[in-house]
Amino acid sequence: MPSSLVAIVTVAALVIGFGIHTRSVGDISSISGAFPPFHIASVPFTWETLMIVLPYAVIVAGVGLIESLLTLNLIDEITGNARPQQQGVRGSGARPTCSAASSAAWAAARRSARA
């Protein structure tokens, strides 16, 4: 059994067993089931903004990469097939790159349509 699953089950059992009050997603925000309205953040696109966001972006990217590699290991153990981990790393890098490129192109098209 994966250690992360054991940790999640253990913490959930402790919280439920001892009746520890924790905030849930429903306490923080509405869970309506609908998509939130789309909007572009109104922050200046400057070097200073990038330096504020960059450390958090690197941390989130690292967590996503570790999660992908752990999932790849688990699937390899279950199926008995060994795939090179570089394949997973490349896939984890290609997805957000394509997403960011398409988002940037879409935003640029919207800006040029307004002008």
Side-chain angles (χ1 to χ4, degrees):
M1 187 176 276
S3 59
S4 55
L5 181 59
V6 172
I8 291 170
V9 170
T10 303
V11 170
L14 288 172
V15 167
I16 293 169
F18 288 111
I20 300 171
H21 177 70
T22 57
R23 290 174 49 173
S24 66
V25 175
D27 297 335
I28 299 170
S29 180
S30 166
I31 306 175
S32 65
F35 287 117
F38 180 78
H39 70 281
I40 296 176
S42 60
V43 296
F45 294 110
T46 63
W47 185 254
E48 182 182 359
T49 305
L50 178 65
M51 289 295 106
I52 292 170
V53 173
L54 187 64
Y56 300 103
V58 169
I59 291 168
V60 170
V63 168
L65 178 61
I66 291 168
E67 181 182 351
S68 295
L69 292 175
L70 288 172
T71 303
L72 185 62
N73 269 350
L74 180 64
I75 292 171
D76 287 346
E77 287 178 19
I78 292 171
T79 61
N81 296 334
R83 283 179 242 141
Q85 292 201 349
Q86 287 295 328
Q87 185 179 16
V89 172
R90 279 192 221 110
S92 293
R95 282 186 304 254
T97 302
C98 293
S99 174
S102 64
S103 296
W106 185 83
R110 286 206 25 119
R111 267 192 235 122
S112 66
R114 287 184 196 158

